[in-house]
Amino acid sequence: NAGVTQTPKFRILKIGQSMTLQCAQDMNHNYMYWYRQDPGMGLKLIYYSVGAGITDKGEVPNGYNVSRSTTEDFPLRLELAAPSQTSVYFCASSYLFYYLGTGGFYGNQPQHFGDGTRLSIL
Amino acid sequence: DAKTTQPNSMESNEEEPVHLPCNHSTISGTDYIHWYRQLPSQGPEYVIHGLTSNVNNRMASLAIAEDRKSSTLILHRATLRDAAVYYCIQVDYGGSQGNLIFGKGTKLSVKP
């Protein structure tokens, strides 16, 4: 199994350019996520999706857009690249299900991560 | 912000056990504790997770304190490949749908 595949692995952009980071998973997971990781820091959630056609903002969504037209794909779009968006971007997926019953709660399987896209904006 | 606190770094000798501590004093009844690790130049990798009782899998063991305010990830015999940043994450399966909030983690160095 390929798992989570991210393309490209590396990219250099000029300020103001736009690009799309691709992410695909072959595990039939319903949830998908985009994170960014700045040097020496932990990952921060940008956007996530609970299924095709449904997306929601994470902790740091400004400057990014996402769409989810299929279960497998979850592209991340940068419209006007800025130096502050220089980072490593990780895509992840998981299967989350909702337990019915008293209170109700979500249970899920671990998140599976891709190898990342290293993006520099100059 | 991350809800857990971990030491910035730890060192271990190869083939010795490693105990990685984590404090999560604000944990609520339905929050799980997850551990991920990130090898150099790779994406995070799931290690283990638990709720109340101790858990074991092929990678590690997780010991959770009785009051659930702290836990310890145990690598039984460290190898050079275990050198990584280890993240302890308190996961809210209620309101936040299990989203992961990463802190800076503990950077584990393994000496041959």
Side-chain angles (χ1 to χ4, degrees):
Chain A
N1 282 341
V4 177
T5 302
Q6 293 185 237
T7 56
K9 294 189 184 304
F10 304 93
R11 185 72 184 267
I12 298 175
L13 282 183
K14 293 182 180 179
I15 295 172
Q17 287 186 320
S18 61
M19 77 162 294
T20 300
L21 282 65
Q22 302 291 345
C23 176
Q25 54 95 6
D26 62 358
M27 296 171 283
N28 202 32
H29 285 166
N30 52 353
Y31 273 63
M32 295 187 74
Y33 312 82
W34 274 107
Y35 296 87
R36 60 176 286 174
Q37 185 175 33
D38 298 331
M41 305 296 287
L43 283 71
K44 291 188 182 297
L45 183 64
I46 305 172
Y47 271 96
Y48 67 100
S49 169
V50 306
I54 307 170
T55 63
D56 207 349
K57 296 178 181 179
E59 183 182 0
V60 289
N62 291 342
Y64 306 95
N65 283 300
V66 293
S67 60
R68 182 108 179 261
S69 57
T70 67
T71 299
E72 295 78 17
D73 300 300
F74 189 40
L76 177 71
R77 178 85 176 161
L78 281 72
E79 291 293 351
L80 290 171
S84 61
Q85 294 177 304
T86 294
S87 190
V88 182
Y89 292 83
F90 290 101
C91 179
S93 71
S94 70
Y95 183 74
L96 190 145
F97 48 94
Y98 189 71
Y99 287 114
L100 295 176
T102 303
F105 66 96
Y106 291 91
N108 76 352
Q109 295 176 1
Q111 291 189 19
H112 297 255
F113 287 80
D115 288 333
T117 294
R118 284 153 182 79
L119 180 63
S120 294
I121 299 164
L122 305 175
Chain B
D1 290 349
K3 299 179 182 178
T4 62
T5 55
Q6 301 176 250
N8 289 333
S9 62
M10 291 184 64
E11 279 191 353
S12 172
N13 294 317
E14 195 176 12
E15 299 191 0
E16 291 186 354
V18 182
H19 292 236
L20 297 165
C22 179
N23 288 320
H24 28 84
S25 58
T26 64
I27 196 167
S28 67
T30 55
D31 292 348
Y32 278 70
I33 292 299
H34 284 231
W35 284 82
Y36 284 75
R37 72 179 185 181
Q38 188 173 20
L39 302 173
S41 300
Q42 294 188 23
E45 172 189 32
Y46 167 80
V47 178
I48 200 167
H49 77 281
L51 181 63
T52 56
S53 55
N54 296 343
V55 184
N56 300 293
N57 66 20
R58 64 175 180 81
M59 291 182 70
S61 297
L62 176 59
I64 300 174
E66 194 170 336
D67 64 4
R68 301 188 67 233
K69 295 185 185 300
S70 66
S71 61
T72 302
L73 179 71
I74 303 165
L75 308 179
H76 296 286
R77 287 184 66 198
T79 68
L80 297 179
R81 193 191 176 279
D82 291 323
V85 178
Y86 286 78
Y87 298 99
C88 169
I89 303 172
Q90 181 180 321
V91 181
D92 174 13
Y93 278 126
S96 66
Q97 299 181 55
N99 287 342
L100 303 179
I101 301 175
F102 287 81
K104 293 185 178 181
T106 297
K107 184 174 183 179
L108 176 66
S109 302
V110 180
K111 295 182 291 184

